[in-house]
């Protein structure tokens, strides 16, 4: 696994959590598919017409048990992945404008119990990986809000350097930049 998110397509950010959720959903879907197939096989009955499968009493009990186990796994994986998605998924904002070389600033937004926070990343045009700039922001005074979505930010490119400011409408946002700032290497 990797540590930083990646953006393989414009506006699409993938994180390790995203892949975990996707894997869980695929596993759940496969369980539902297997459940459907086993239910169709179990529908075979003694005395069926020529060419149809006949399921014996012992095989029927095994199929019944197998379908219930697969159904339980499908429900478990569905609830698990939905829970992880709802509890731990951050949203990401690709800020405009991009640099002259095509670099983009990406800001994450995650909600905590009583506040929100995020990190600042740089997307180079020649790489799908987001580079952690060391910059971050956080809400103080028990406020949960997304200052990016509210439009309480500004981004100005001066050559290869980006100057990002996040302030929040009510002044409760603390924004820290890294010592090296946000610099496009292109």
């Amino acid at each position: 696994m990797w540590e930083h998110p990646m953006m393989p397509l414009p506006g699409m950010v993938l994180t390790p959590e995203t892949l975990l959720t996707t894997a869980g959903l695929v596993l759940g879907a496969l369980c539902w598919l297997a459940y459907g197939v086993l239910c169709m096989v179990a529908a075979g009955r003694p005395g069926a017409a020529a060419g149809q499968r006949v399921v014996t009493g012992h095989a029927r009990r095994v199929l019944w048990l197998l379908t219930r186990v697969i159904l339980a796994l499908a429900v478990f994986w569905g609830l698990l992945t939905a829970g992880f998605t709802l509890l731990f998924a951050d949203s990401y904002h690709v800020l405009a404008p991009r640099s002259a070389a095509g670099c983009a600033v990406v800001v994450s937004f995650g909600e905590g119990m009583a506040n929100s926070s995020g990190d600042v990343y740089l997307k180079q045009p020649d790489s799908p990986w987001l580079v952690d700039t060391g910059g971050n922001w956080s809400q103080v005074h028990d406020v949960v809000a997304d200052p990016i979505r509210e439009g309480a930010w500004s981004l100005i490119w001066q050559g290869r350097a980006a100057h990002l400011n996040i302030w929040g409408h009510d002044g409760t946002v603390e924004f820290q930049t890294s010592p090296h700032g946000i610099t496009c290497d292109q």
Side-chain angles (χ1 to χ4, degrees), residues 112-135:
M113 294 297 281
N115 62 5
S116 54
S117 63
D119 295 311
V120 179
Y121 300 95
L122 178 69
K123 165 67 172 75
Q124 303 279 356
D126 61 347
S127 172
W129 302 104
L130 298 181
V131 178
D132 189 354
T133 65

Side-chain angles (χ1 to χ4, degrees), residues 92-186:
Y92 291 82
H93 303 287
V94 181
L95 304 182
R98 291 179 181 253
S99 72
C103 291
V105 175
V106 180
V107 178
S108 68
F109 167 74
E111 287 187 44
M113 294 297 281
N115 62 5
S116 54
S117 63
D119 295 311
V120 179
Y121 300 95
L122 178 69
K123 165 67 172 75
Q124 303 279 356
D126 61 347
S127 172
W129 302 104
L130 298 181
V131 178
D132 189 354
T133 65
N136 57 58
W137 65 273
S138 63
Q139 294 278 20
V140 294
H141 306 300
D142 297 331
V143 176
V144 177
D146 185 350
I148 306 301
R149 184 170 287 134
E150 293 175 357
W153 60 275
S154 67
L155 174 65
I156 299 170
W157 285 93
Q158 293 177 337
R160 296 179 344 153
H163 299 281
L164 174 65
N165 188 17
I166 301 173
W167 58 83
H169 287 301
D170 57 3
T172 62
V173 174
E174 292 180 354
F175 176 60
Q176 298 85 29
T177 59
S178 65
H180 58 277
I182 304 170
T183 305
C184 179
D185 293 336
Q186 300 296 317

Side-chain angles (χ1 to χ4, degrees), residues 71-111:
L71 178 61
L73 284 174
V75 170
F76 171 75
W77 280 110
L79 291 174
L80 183 67
T81 55
F84 272 114
T85 301
L86 293 174
L87 290 175
F88 301 113
D90 287 350
S91 59
Y92 291 82
H93 303 287
V94 181
L95 304 182
R98 291 179 181 253
S99 72
C103 291
V105 175
V106 180
V107 178
S108 68
F109 167 74
E111 287 187 44

Side-chain angles (χ1 to χ4, degrees), residues 39-55:
C39 283
M40 287 191 296
V41 168
R45 58 193 179 283
Q52 289 185 331
R53 291 185 80 153
V54 176
V55 179

